[in-house]
Amino acid sequence: MPSFVDSPNGIFPSVCSLDCPDQCGLLLHKKNGKIIKIEGDPNHPVTKGFICNKVRNMTERIYDEKRLKHPMKRMGTKGEGKFVQISWEEAIETITTRWKELLQSEGAESILPYSFYGNMGLLSAEGMDRRFFNRLGSSQLDRSICNAAGAVGYKYTMGASFGTDPEDTIHTKLFIFWGINAVSTNMHQAALAQQARKQNGAKIIVIDVHKNQTARLADWFIPILPGTDTALALGLMHILFAENMADSSFLEQYTVGHEELREHVVQYDPVTVSGITGVPVEDILQLARMYGKTSPAFIRIGNGPQHHDNGGMFVRTISCLPALTGQWLVKGGGAIKGNSAYLAHNTVNLQRPDLLKNKKTRLINMNLLGDALLTLDPPVKSLYVYGSNPAVVAPAVNKVRRGLKREDLFTVVHDLFLTETANYADIVLPATSSFENTDFYTSYWHHYIQLQQPVIEPFGEAKSNVEVFRLLAKGMGFTETAFDETEAQLIDHSLANPMNPYMKEINYESLTKHHYLKANAKFPFRLPTPSGKIELYSEKMNQDGYPPLPTYVPLINDSNHPFQFIAGPNHSFMNSTFANQSKHVEFEKEPVVFLNRYDAEKLEIKNGEQVRVWNERGECILKASVGDSVLPGVAVTQGLWGEVKGTKHLVNSLTPDRIADMGGGATFFSGRVTVEKLTGC
Ligand SMILES: Nc1nc2c(c(=O)[nH]1)N[C@H]1C(S)=C(S)[C@@H](COP(=O)(O)OP(=O)(O)OC[C@H]3O[C@@H](n4cnc5c(=O)[nH]c(N)nc54)[C@H](O)[C@@H]3O)O[C@H]1N2
Ligand SMILES: Nc1nc2c(c(=O)[nH]1)N[C@H]1C(S)=C(S)[C@@H](COP(=O)(O)OP(=O)(O)OC[C@H]3O[C@@H](n4cnc5c(=O)[nH]c(N)nc54)[C@H](O)[C@@H]3O)O[C@H]1N2
Ligand code: SF4
Ligand SMILES: [Mo]
């Protein structure tokens, strides 16, 4: 079969590779061998031809003249960004020579991989790379920056990442978007909610610390104080039990601990909860009654509230709510935190932990990269970064940058661009875009698995992650056949998962025919919790040192700075991706900090003025947007802006690298700052 690459003109199927739950089906329009247009695939059953503005403008990025075309080595000082072109042979030789020396002098654990899901393709993000680092015996990275706390919290209640099929939410009558800015970050869920509102008069509620894009389309926006959502959920449970809105037959049959929970939530009465959350008593009562009496009712659990000190417990608690009202039995009812368990592939076949040969290697939490580079003993001597940009996205990023500056740290960065992180590298390697690769993709929201076949030639001398790790394996003298497998073989081995009953018919060949296939999934009523049921009371939590029943734990007050600082993603970037494309920057204009008018007045800050936002970790200069989109004492900004000379937009210079209550998760939103008028401007 001729490859898509060989046809200079035509329209070719594709999938969005970005770290976004929607994982849209795409059509790439090619003319004279180049992609000239990217649009949504109208036949994709969930994304239906609609895509976001970011990816509609993705050709800017694919053909950006700033894209890396060849390997380079550093000439200037670390962070300066001065490099000179070298060949792939020299690059691989330099890296493997250095690593062989380190294996001799310091041991394999002195080498640390650092990666995330800049490309969600499973071969790119957790394929040949994992095989390579297993075989090397390097330190392992705990990839905890995104949803780790929430994933563990959900697991305690539900056993694994099983939720509602989003396609069923067209039947939903009550949508609660809880700490998710779906219009920007899960646009098809927002679209489904709007469609359900049109068709069945569904109501849309948004609970957030910020009147964001999603809140603006809601029927009811409920502002809440940061990190207090667990108390609100417990308050709702209090009312559901007290006013007989709980579904006792569901609770009896499918849950553990409802009697204990009923007694436990007596303490979370509406007055107490209102005092904690800032949500008025009458709103708490109304919300509980709407939730208790509307069916199907659905909660989209966002990532925002789990980026707090108490984030794991937040998700653990919210995920008990649908059980109280028996909503898991109703089509369109229930909740989605994530749905990745339906599409679970065979990670053992893909990642080959056997190559580690039972060696115990240290596990380094990526949220502590700064400490890992500055204080870990024995030290990290080499860092290999791919699919991530830690010099912008990591918490307490000034510390990370100090670590990256270390002269004795040998850093390699593989990326499409000379990112802020790449500026600190000794060797920079050019990466292909996902449209140049073969890979498979599983959504963490909908139930489809999709194939990407290469549509265009590699850009310059760029290589995929899989190819680079094959070369590194060869350079290291690894002879295992694991490093010779083709992409098609890797996909077939990954899809052979006897543990997953939902993906039986799906393999490389069927994917080449259909491009996307749905896992034949049903919500499993025997859940992978210790009891097989939904655990409202969790003995496992008790054993792990947590309260066994959902419990409100306040945020850690990390300082006396007056504002809680919430620095989330924005509409037009994908984390730090696109922050270096002029078109996407134009859409966003400049970074803004939202302040309540009451706070602004006290500080004599006017709308549109530049303000200084600072704490002991760092400082940013942002434009004030004064109004009622946040509560007093809260400062919200959006977007992981890159470094343009002379600007101070690096929001992670302010965020804490404390670790959340569960899963080693990040606490980006639990930091405090001072906001002040910028004098002398
Ligand atoms: N356009 C765009 N889309 C993206 C991304 C992007 O950068 N840009 N990033 C992708 C990635 S990696 C992820 S993880 C997801 C994240 O997407 P979401 O799940 O939407 O998570 P966040 O945007 O981090 O936060 C969601 C909301 O939580 C709110 N929030 C913060 N703290 C609290 C709190 O204590 N309580 C409540 N109720 N709300 C709170 C914030 O104000 C924000 O509006 O989006 C993905 N999609
Ligand atoms: N303040 C604050 N910080 C945050 C967050 C927040 O809400 N607030 N969100 C956090 C979250 S949820 C996440 S998930 C992280 C995300 O943080 P990152 O994972 O670092 O995401 P990106 O900034 O998109 O960087 C991805 C990089 O991968 C590169 N890339 C893309 N495809 C490939 C490929 O195939 N191969 C290679 N080698 N490189 C490739 C891109 O060019 C880009 O430079 O950020 C976290 N940081
Ligand atoms: S970023 Fe999300 S919404 Fe945009 S095209 Fe990709 S998957 Fe779709
Ligand atoms: Mo994320």
PDB file of all heavy atoms in Angstrom, residues 19 54 146 179-181 184-185 207-210 212 224 226-227 229 303-305 308 569-571 573-575 669, ligand 1:
ATOM      1  N   ASP A  19      -1.904  17.179  24.199  1.00  0.00           N
ATOM      2  CA  ASP A  19      -2.345  16.632  25.494  1.00  0.00           C
ATOM      3  C   ASP A  19      -3.707  17.237  25.852  1.00  0.00           C
ATOM      4  O   ASP A  19      -3.832  18.068  26.746  1.00  0.00           O
ATOM      5  CB  ASP A  19      -1.283  16.970  26.547  1.00  0.00           C
ATOM      6  CG  ASP A  19      -1.565  16.303  27.880  1.00  0.00           C
ATOM      7  OD1 ASP A  19      -2.643  15.699  28.026  1.00  0.00           O
ATOM      8  OD2 ASP A  19      -0.696  16.400  28.771  1.00  0.00           O
ATOM      9  N   LYS A  54      -6.480  26.566  17.959  1.00  0.00           N
ATOM     10  CA  LYS A  54      -5.042  26.283  18.095  1.00  0.00           C
ATOM     11  C   LYS A  54      -4.580  25.403  16.947  1.00  0.00           C
ATOM     12  O   LYS A  54      -3.581  25.667  16.298  1.00  0.00           O
ATOM     13  CB  LYS A  54      -4.740  25.510  19.399  1.00  0.00           C
ATOM     14  CG  LYS A  54      -5.206  26.136  20.670  1.00  0.00           C
ATOM     15  CD  LYS A  54      -4.766  25.309  21.878  1.00  0.00           C
ATOM     16  CE  LYS A  54      -5.595  24.066  22.149  1.00  0.00           C
ATOM     17  NZ  LYS A  54      -7.009  24.303  22.471  1.00  0.00           N
ATOM     18  N   CYS A 146       0.663  16.276  36.039  1.00  0.00           N
ATOM     19  CA  CYS A 146      -0.654  16.638  35.507  1.00  0.00           C
ATOM     20  C   CYS A 146      -1.794  16.216  36.432  1.00  0.00           C
ATOM     21  O   CYS A 146      -2.385  17.032  37.118  1.00  0.00           O
ATOM     22  CB  CYS A 146      -0.802  16.039  34.115  1.00  0.00           C
ATOM     23  SG  CYS A 146      -2.380  16.347  33.346  1.00  0.00           S
ATOM     24  N   GLY A 179     -14.484  22.745  38.304  1.00  0.00           N
ATOM     25  CA  GLY A 179     -13.034  23.023  38.209  1.00  0.00           C
ATOM     26  C   GLY A 179     -12.451  22.620  36.876  1.00  0.00           C
ATOM     27  O   GLY A 179     -11.337  22.098  36.805  1.00  0.00           O
ATOM     28  N   ILE A 180     -13.207  22.853  35.815  1.00  0.00           N
ATOM     29  CA  ILE A 180     -12.693  22.586  34.460  1.00  0.00           C
ATOM     30  C   ILE A 180     -13.137  23.726  33.555  1.00  0.00           C
ATOM     31  O   ILE A 180     -14.302  24.115  33.589  1.00  0.00           O
ATOM     32  CB  ILE A 180     -13.178  21.223  33.917  1.00  0.00           C
ATOM     33  CG1 ILE A 180     -12.658  20.972  32.490  1.00  0.00           C
ATOM     34  CG2 ILE A 180     -14.702  21.066  33.960  1.00  0.00           C
ATOM     35  CD1 ILE A 180     -12.828  19.541  32.009  1.00  0.00           C
ATOM     36  N   ASN A 181     -12.205  24.219  32.774  1.00  0.00           N
ATOM     37  CA  ASN A 181     -12.545  25.298  31.840  1.00  0.00           C
ATOM     38  C   ASN A 181     -12.811  24.669  30.475  1.00  0.00           C
ATOM     39  O   ASN A 181     -12.067  24.867  29.515  1.00  0.00           O
ATOM     40  CB  ASN A 181     -11.393  26.304  31.783  1.00  0.00           C
ATOM     41  CG  ASN A 181     -11.749  27.517  30.958  1.00  0.00           C
ATOM     42  OD1 ASN A 181     -12.916  27.704  30.599  1.00  0.00           O
ATOM     43  ND2 ASN A 181     -10.765  28.332  30.659  1.00  0.00           N
ATOM     44  N   SER A 184     -12.272  25.884  26.835  1.00  0.00           N
ATOM     45  CA  SER A 184     -10.894  25.934  26.339  1.00  0.00           C
ATOM     46  C   SER A 184     -10.212  24.567  26.363  1.00  0.00           C
ATOM     47  O   SER A 184      -9.374  24.295  25.516  1.00  0.00           O
ATOM     48  CB  SER A 184     -10.057  26.890  27.202  1.00  0.00           C
ATOM     49  OG  SER A 184     -10.592  28.184  27.161  1.00  0.00           O
ATOM     50  N   THR A 185     -10.551  23.720  27.325  1.00  0.00           N
ATOM     51  CA  THR A 185      -9.719  22.528  27.559  1.00  0.00           C
ATOM     52  C   THR A 185     -10.411  21.200  27.244  1.00  0.00           C
ATOM     53  O   THR A 185      -9.768  20.160  27.316  1.00  0.00           O
ATOM     54  CB  THR A 185      -9.241  22.478  29.026  1.00  0.00           C
ATOM     55  OG1 THR A 185     -10.384  22.354  29.877  1.00  0.00           O
ATOM     56  CG2 THR A 185      -8.459  23.726  29.413  1.00  0.00           C
ATOM     57  N   ILE A 207     -18.694  25.352  38.654  1.00  0.00           N
ATOM     58  CA  ILE A 207     -18.155  25.666  39.993  1.00  0.00           C
ATOM     59  C   ILE A 207     -16.670  25.931  39.813  1.00  0.00           C
ATOM     60  O   ILE A 207     -15.914  25.039  39.399  1.00  0.00           O
ATOM     61  CB  ILE A 207     -18.356  24.474  40.967  1.00  0.00           C
ATOM     62  CG1 ILE A 207     -19.832  24.061  41.005  1.00  0.00           C
ATOM     63  CG2 ILE A 207     -17.830  24.842  42.370  1.00  0.00           C
ATOM     64  CD1 ILE A 207     -20.106  22.800  41.819  1.00  0.00           C
ATOM     65  N   ASP A 208     -16.250  27.155  40.060  1.00  0.00           N
ATOM     66  CA  ASP A 208     -14.858  27.509  39.751  1.00  0.00           C
ATOM     67  C   ASP A 208     -14.442  28.708  40.596  1.00  0.00           C
ATOM     68  O   ASP A 208     -15.278  29.452  41.106  1.00  0.00           O
ATOM     69  CB  ASP A 208     -14.736  27.854  38.254  1.00  0.00           C
ATOM     70  CG  ASP A 208     -13.343  27.594  37.708  1.00  0.00           C
ATOM     71  OD1 ASP A 208     -12.395  28.349  38.064  1.00  0.00           O
ATOM     72  OD2 ASP A 208     -13.179  26.631  36.941  1.00  0.00           O
ATOM     73  N   VAL A 209     -13.140  28.888  40.683  1.00  0.00           N
ATOM     74  CA  VAL A 209     -12.623  30.068  41.399  1.00  0.00           C
ATOM     75  C   VAL A 209     -12.557  31.270  40.456  1.00  0.00           C
ATOM     76  O   VAL A 209     -12.193  32.362  40.864  1.00  0.00           O
ATOM     77  CB  VAL A 209     -11.220  29.804  41.991  1.00  0.00           C
ATOM     78  CG1 VAL A 209     -11.254  28.633  42.944  1.00  0.00           C
ATOM     79  CG2 VAL A 209     -10.193  29.562  40.890  1.00  0.00           C
ATOM     80  N   HIS A 210     -12.875  31.017  39.198  1.00  0.00           N
ATOM     81  CA  HIS A 210     -12.736  32.064  38.183  1.00  0.00           C
ATOM     82  C   HIS A 210     -13.937  32.005  37.248  1.00  0.00           C
ATOM     83  O   HIS A 210     -14.312  30.922  36.792  1.00  0.00           O
ATOM     84  CB  HIS A 210     -11.432  31.798  37.394  1.00  0.00           C
ATOM     85  CG  HIS A 210     -11.177  32.775  36.308  1.00  0.00           C
ATOM     86  ND1 HIS A 210     -10.535  32.424  35.147  1.00  0.00           N
ATOM     87  CD2 HIS A 210     -11.465  34.090  36.193  1.00  0.00           C
ATOM     88  CE1 HIS A 210     -10.445  33.485  34.365  1.00  0.00           C
ATOM     89  NE2 HIS A 210     -10.996  34.497  34.975  1.00  0.00           N
ATOM     90  N   ASN A 212     -14.562  31.904  34.247  1.00  0.00           N
ATOM     91  CA  ASN A 212     -13.773  31.686  33.036  1.00  0.00           C
ATOM     92  C   ASN A 212     -14.688  31.582  31.807  1.00  0.00           C
ATOM     93  O   ASN A 212     -15.892  31.787  31.902  1.00  0.00           O
ATOM     94  CB  ASN A 212     -12.898  30.438  33.203  1.00  0.00           C
ATOM     95  CG  ASN A 212     -13.748  29.203  33.522  1.00  0.00           C
ATOM     96  OD1 ASN A 212     -14.926  29.142  33.184  1.00  0.00           O
ATOM     97  ND2 ASN A 212     -13.152  28.220  34.176  1.00  0.00           N
ATOM     98  N   ILE A 224     -16.244  29.848  44.092  1.00  0.00           N
ATOM     99  CA  ILE A 224     -15.857  29.151  45.333  1.00  0.00           C
ATOM    100  C   ILE A 224     -14.439  29.555  45.700  1.00  0.00           C
ATOM    101  O   ILE A 224     -13.628  29.881  44.805  1.00  0.00           O
ATOM    102  CB  ILE A 224     -15.987  27.615  45.131  1.00  0.00           C
ATOM    103  CG1 ILE A 224     -15.743  26.865  46.442  1.00  0.00           C
ATOM    104  CG2 ILE A 224     -15.045  27.116  44.038  1.00  0.00           C
ATOM    105  CD1 ILE A 224     -16.188  25.415  46.400  1.00  0.00           C
ATOM    106  N   PRO A 226     -10.605  28.956  46.593  1.00  0.00           N
ATOM    107  CA  PRO A 226      -9.696  27.894  46.153  1.00  0.00           C
ATOM    108  C   PRO A 226      -9.470  26.813  47.229  1.00  0.00           C
ATOM    109  O   PRO A 226      -9.347  27.131  48.417  1.00  0.00           O
ATOM    110  CB  PRO A 226      -8.393  28.634  45.867  1.00  0.00           C
ATOM    111  CG  PRO A 226      -8.791  30.042  45.587  1.00  0.00           C
ATOM    112  CD  PRO A 226     -10.018  30.303  46.397  1.00  0.00           C
ATOM    113  N   GLY A 227      -9.446  25.582  46.776  1.00  0.00           N
ATOM    114  CA  GLY A 227      -9.073  24.467  47.659  1.00  0.00           C
ATOM    115  C   GLY A 227     -10.141  24.068  48.668  1.00  0.00           C
ATOM    116  O   GLY A 227      -9.849  23.302  49.592  1.00  0.00           O
ATOM    117  N   ASP A 229     -13.363  22.879  47.704  1.00  0.00           N
ATOM    118  CA  ASP A 229     -14.426  22.125  47.024  1.00  0.00           C
ATOM    119  C   ASP A 229     -14.830  20.849  47.759  1.00  0.00           C
ATOM    120  O   ASP A 229     -15.984  20.423  47.683  1.00  0.00           O
ATOM    121  CB  ASP A 229     -13.974  21.745  45.613  1.00  0.00           C
ATOM    122  CG  ASP A 229     -13.590  22.964  44.814  1.00  0.00           C
ATOM    123  OD1 ASP A 229     -12.474  23.479  45.045  1.00  0.00           O
ATOM    124  OD2 ASP A 229     -14.387  23.426  44.004  1.00  0.00           O
ATOM    125  N   ASN A 303      -9.277  19.317  36.167  1.00  0.00           N
ATOM    126  CA  ASN A 303      -7.929  19.132  36.690  1.00  0.00           C
ATOM    127  C   ASN A 303      -7.548  20.239  37.660  1.00  0.00           C
ATOM    128  O   ASN A 303      -6.607  20.088  38.434  1.00  0.00           O
ATOM    129  CB  ASN A 303      -6.931  19.118  35.524  1.00  0.00           C
ATOM    130  CG  ASN A 303      -5.926  18.026  35.667  1.00  0.00           C
ATOM    131  OD1 ASN A 303      -6.278  16.922  36.086  1.00  0.00           O
ATOM    132  ND2 ASN A 303      -4.679  18.305  35.343  1.00  0.00           N
ATOM    133  N   GLY A 304      -8.270  21.365  37.600  1.00  0.00           N
ATOM    134  CA  GLY A 304      -7.892  22.539  38.395  1.00  0.00           C
ATOM    135  C   GLY A 304      -7.833  22.262  39.887  1.00  0.00           C
ATOM    136  O   GLY A 304      -6.773  22.398  40.515  1.00  0.00           O
ATOM    137  N   PRO A 305      -8.950  21.846  40.480  1.00  0.00           N
ATOM    138  CA  PRO A 305      -8.949  21.702  41.941  1.00  0.00           C
ATOM    139  C   PRO A 305      -8.011  20.607  42.451  1.00  0.00           C
ATOM    140  O   PRO A 305      -7.722  20.565  43.646  1.00  0.00           O
ATOM    141  CB  PRO A 305     -10.406  21.345  42.255  1.00  0.00           C
ATOM    142  CG  PRO A 305     -11.185  21.753  41.053  1.00  0.00           C
ATOM    143  CD  PRO A 305     -10.269  21.641  39.895  1.00  0.00           C
ATOM    144  N   HIS A 308      -3.949  21.233  43.882  1.00  0.00           N
ATOM    145  CA  HIS A 308      -3.840  21.851  45.205  1.00  0.00           C
ATOM    146  C   HIS A 308      -3.261  20.843  46.192  1.00  0.00           C
ATOM    147  O   HIS A 308      -3.274  19.634  45.942  1.00  0.00           O
ATOM    148  CB  HIS A 308      -5.230  22.266  45.696  1.00  0.00           C
ATOM    149  CG  HIS A 308      -5.727  23.554  45.104  1.00  0.00           C
ATOM    150  ND1 HIS A 308      -5.159  24.767  45.387  1.00  0.00           N
ATOM    151  CD2 HIS A 308      -6.755  23.819  44.250  1.00  0.00           C
ATOM    152  CE1 HIS A 308      -5.818  25.724  44.740  1.00  0.00           C
ATOM    153  NE2 HIS A 308      -6.787  25.179  44.040  1.00  0.00           N
ATOM    154  N   PRO A 569      -3.903  27.045  32.521  1.00  0.00           N
ATOM    155  CA  PRO A 569      -3.650  27.161  31.081  1.00  0.00           C
ATOM    156  C   PRO A 569      -4.549  28.210  30.418  1.00  0.00           C
ATOM    157  O   PRO A 569      -5.529  28.637  31.017  1.00  0.00           O
ATOM    158  CB  PRO A 569      -4.001  25.761  30.548  1.00  0.00           C
ATOM    159  CG  PRO A 569      -4.739  25.054  31.597  1.00  0.00           C
ATOM    160  CD  PRO A 569      -4.627  25.816  32.881  1.00  0.00           C
ATOM    161  N   ASN A 570      -4.222  28.610  29.185  1.00  0.00           N
ATOM    162  CA  ASN A 570      -5.113  29.546  28.478  1.00  0.00           C
ATOM    163  C   ASN A 570      -5.743  28.897  27.253  1.00  0.00           C
ATOM    164  O   ASN A 570      -5.513  27.727  26.945  1.00  0.00           O
ATOM    165  CB  ASN A 570      -4.378  30.857  28.142  1.00  0.00           C
ATOM    166  CG  ASN A 570      -3.285  30.668  27.091  1.00  0.00           C
ATOM    167  OD1 ASN A 570      -3.151  29.607  26.486  1.00  0.00           O
ATOM    168  ND2 ASN A 570      -2.504  31.705  26.876  1.00  0.00           N
ATOM    169  N   HIS A 571      -6.547  29.676  26.547  1.00  0.00           N
ATOM    170  CA  HIS A 571      -7.347  29.153  25.440  1.00  0.00           C
ATOM    171  C   HIS A 571      -6.489  28.812  24.217  1.00  0.00           C
ATOM    172  O   HIS A 571      -6.726  27.799  23.565  1.00  0.00           O
ATOM    173  CB  HIS A 571      -8.398  30.219  25.071  1.00  0.00           C
ATOM    174  CG  HIS A 571      -9.436  29.737  24.128  1.00  0.00           C
ATOM    175  ND1 HIS A 571     -10.478  28.921  24.529  1.00  0.00           N
ATOM    176  CD2 HIS A 571      -9.603  29.920  22.793  1.00  0.00           C
ATOM    177  CE1 HIS A 571     -11.244  28.646  23.484  1.00  0.00           C
ATOM    178  NE2 HIS A 571     -10.734  29.228  22.427  1.00  0.00           N
ATOM    179  N   PHE A 573      -2.970  28.505  23.847  1.00  0.00           N
ATOM    180  CA  PHE A 573      -1.750  27.685  23.924  1.00  0.00           C
ATOM    181  C   PHE A 573      -2.136  26.309  24.437  1.00  0.00           C
ATOM    182  O   PHE A 573      -3.227  26.121  24.989  1.00  0.00           O
ATOM    183  CB  PHE A 573      -0.711  28.255  24.907  1.00  0.00           C
ATOM    184  CG  PHE A 573      -0.321  29.694  24.711  1.00  0.00           C
ATOM    185  CD1 PHE A 573       0.321  30.386  25.739  1.00  0.00           C
ATOM    186  CD2 PHE A 573      -0.561  30.352  23.516  1.00  0.00           C
ATOM    187  CE1 PHE A 573       0.710  31.714  25.575  1.00  0.00           C
ATOM    188  CE2 PHE A 573      -0.177  31.684  23.346  1.00  0.00           C
ATOM    189  CZ  PHE A 573       0.453  32.367  24.385  1.00  0.00           C
ATOM    190  N   MET A 574      -1.209  25.373  24.281  1.00  0.00           N
ATOM    191  CA  MET A 574      -1.366  24.064  24.912  1.00  0.00           C
ATOM    192  C   MET A 574      -0.191  23.949  25.870  1.00  0.00           C
ATOM    193  O   MET A 574       0.923  23.705  25.435  1.00  0.00           O
ATOM    194  CB  MET A 574      -1.341  22.980  23.830  1.00  0.00           C
ATOM    195  CG  MET A 574      -1.328  21.581  24.333  1.00  0.00           C
ATOM    196  SD  MET A 574      -2.745  21.143  25.334  1.00  0.00           S
ATOM    197  CE  MET A 574      -4.109  21.427  24.240  1.00  0.00           C
ATOM    198  N   ASN A 575      -0.426  24.201  27.134  1.00  0.00           N
ATOM    199  CA  ASN A 575       0.656  24.344  28.092  1.00  0.00           C
ATOM    200  C   ASN A 575       1.637  25.381  27.517  1.00  0.00           C
ATOM    201  O   ASN A 575       1.193  26.472  27.215  1.00  0.00           O
ATOM    202  CB  ASN A 575       1.234  22.981  28.445  1.00  0.00           C
ATOM    203  CG  ASN A 575       0.125  22.070  28.989  1.00  0.00           C
ATOM    204  OD1 ASN A 575      -0.596  22.476  29.878  1.00  0.00           O
ATOM    205  ND2 ASN A 575      -0.054  20.887  28.436  1.00  0.00           N
ATOM    206  N   PHE A 669      -1.549  25.471  42.155  1.00  0.00           N
ATOM    207  CA  PHE A 669      -2.533  26.513  42.486  1.00  0.00           C
ATOM    208  C   PHE A 669      -2.626  26.790  43.990  1.00  0.00           C
ATOM    209  O   PHE A 669      -3.509  27.509  44.424  1.00  0.00           O
ATOM    210  CB  PHE A 669      -3.916  26.119  41.948  1.00  0.00           C
ATOM    211  CG  PHE A 669      -3.969  25.874  40.458  1.00  0.00           C
ATOM    212  CD1 PHE A 669      -5.011  25.130  39.888  1.00  0.00           C
ATOM    213  CD2 PHE A 669      -2.991  26.383  39.613  1.00  0.00           C
ATOM    214  CE1 PHE A 669      -5.062  24.906  38.518  1.00  0.00           C
ATOM    215  CE2 PHE A 669      -3.029  26.158  38.243  1.00  0.00           C
ATOM    216  CZ  PHE A 669      -4.068  25.418  37.690  1.00  0.00           C
TER     217      PHE A 669
HETATM  218  N1  LIG B   1      -6.583  25.409  25.466  1.00  0.00           N
HETATM  219  C1  LIG B   1      -5.931  24.545  26.241  1.00  0.00           C
HETATM  220  N2  LIG B   1      -6.444  23.314  26.446  1.00  0.00           N
HETATM  221  C2  LIG B   1      -5.781  22.448  27.242  1.00  0.00           C
HETATM  222  C3  LIG B   1      -4.562  22.777  27.859  1.00  0.00           C
HETATM  223  C4  LIG B   1      -4.035  24.073  27.593  1.00  0.00           C
HETATM  224  O1  LIG B   1      -2.952  24.447  28.073  1.00  0.00           O
HETATM  225  N3  LIG B   1      -4.751  24.918  26.805  1.00  0.00           N
HETATM  226  N4  LIG B   1      -3.907  21.879  28.677  1.00  0.00           N
HETATM  227  C5  LIG B   1      -4.330  20.489  28.640  1.00  0.00           C
HETATM  228  C6  LIG B   1      -3.941  19.795  29.874  1.00  0.00           C
HETATM  229  S1  LIG B   1      -2.375  19.169  29.976  1.00  0.00           S
HETATM  230  C7  LIG B   1      -4.785  19.627  30.910  1.00  0.00           C
HETATM  231  S2  LIG B   1      -4.274  18.818  32.298  1.00  0.00           S
HETATM  232  C8  LIG B   1      -6.147  20.110  30.851  1.00  0.00           C
HETATM  233  C9  LIG B   1      -6.482  20.994  32.049  1.00  0.00           C
HETATM  234  O2  LIG B   1      -7.737  21.556  31.870  1.00  0.00           O
HETATM  235  P1  LIG B   1      -8.770  21.715  33.056  1.00  0.00           P
HETATM  236  O3  LIG B   1      -9.241  20.391  33.521  1.00  0.00           O
HETATM  237  O4  LIG B   1      -9.767  22.682  32.573  1.00  0.00           O
HETATM  238  O5  LIG B   1      -7.881  22.274  34.246  1.00  0.00           O
HETATM  239  P2  LIG B   1      -7.275  23.717  34.533  1.00  0.00           P
HETATM  240  O6  LIG B   1      -7.458  24.584  33.331  1.00  0.00           O
HETATM  241  O7  LIG B   1      -5.945  23.530  35.089  1.00  0.00           O
HETATM  242  O8  LIG B   1      -8.211  24.287  35.672  1.00  0.00           O
HETATM  243  C10 LIG B   1      -9.601  24.305  35.442  1.00  0.00           C
HETATM  244  C11 LIG B   1     -10.256  25.334  36.264  1.00  0.00           C
HETATM  245  O9  LIG B   1     -10.048  25.052  37.644  1.00  0.00           O
HETATM  246  C12 LIG B   1     -10.131  26.268  38.304  1.00  0.00           C
HETATM  247  N5  LIG B   1      -9.649  26.089  39.682  1.00  0.00           N
HETATM  248  C13 LIG B   1      -8.417  26.228  40.216  1.00  0.00           C
HETATM  249  N6  LIG B   1      -8.435  25.967  41.545  1.00  0.00           N
HETATM  250  C14 LIG B   1      -9.715  25.633  41.846  1.00  0.00           C
HETATM  251  C15 LIG B   1     -10.370  25.239  43.038  1.00  0.00           C
HETATM  252  O10 LIG B   1      -9.782  25.136  44.101  1.00  0.00           O
HETATM  253  N7  LIG B   1     -11.695  24.957  42.952  1.00  0.00           N
HETATM  254  C16 LIG B   1     -12.397  25.064  41.778  1.00  0.00           C
HETATM  255  N8  LIG B   1     -13.680  24.730  41.776  1.00  0.00           N
HETATM  256  N9  LIG B   1     -11.804  25.466  40.645  1.00  0.00           N
HETATM  257  C17 LIG B   1     -10.484  25.725  40.674  1.00  0.00           C
HETATM  258  C18 LIG B   1      -9.387  27.237  37.431  1.00  0.00           C
HETATM  259  O11 LIG B   1      -9.835  28.551  37.666  1.00  0.00           O
HETATM  260  C19 LIG B   1      -9.772  26.750  36.037  1.00  0.00           C
HETATM  261  O12 LIG B   1     -10.818  27.520  35.481  1.00  0.00           O
HETATM  262  O13 LIG B   1      -6.382  20.884  29.693  1.00  0.00           O
HETATM  263  C20 LIG B   1      -5.828  20.367  28.487  1.00  0.00           C
HETATM  264  N10 LIG B   1      -6.321  21.208  27.445  1.00  0.00           N
END
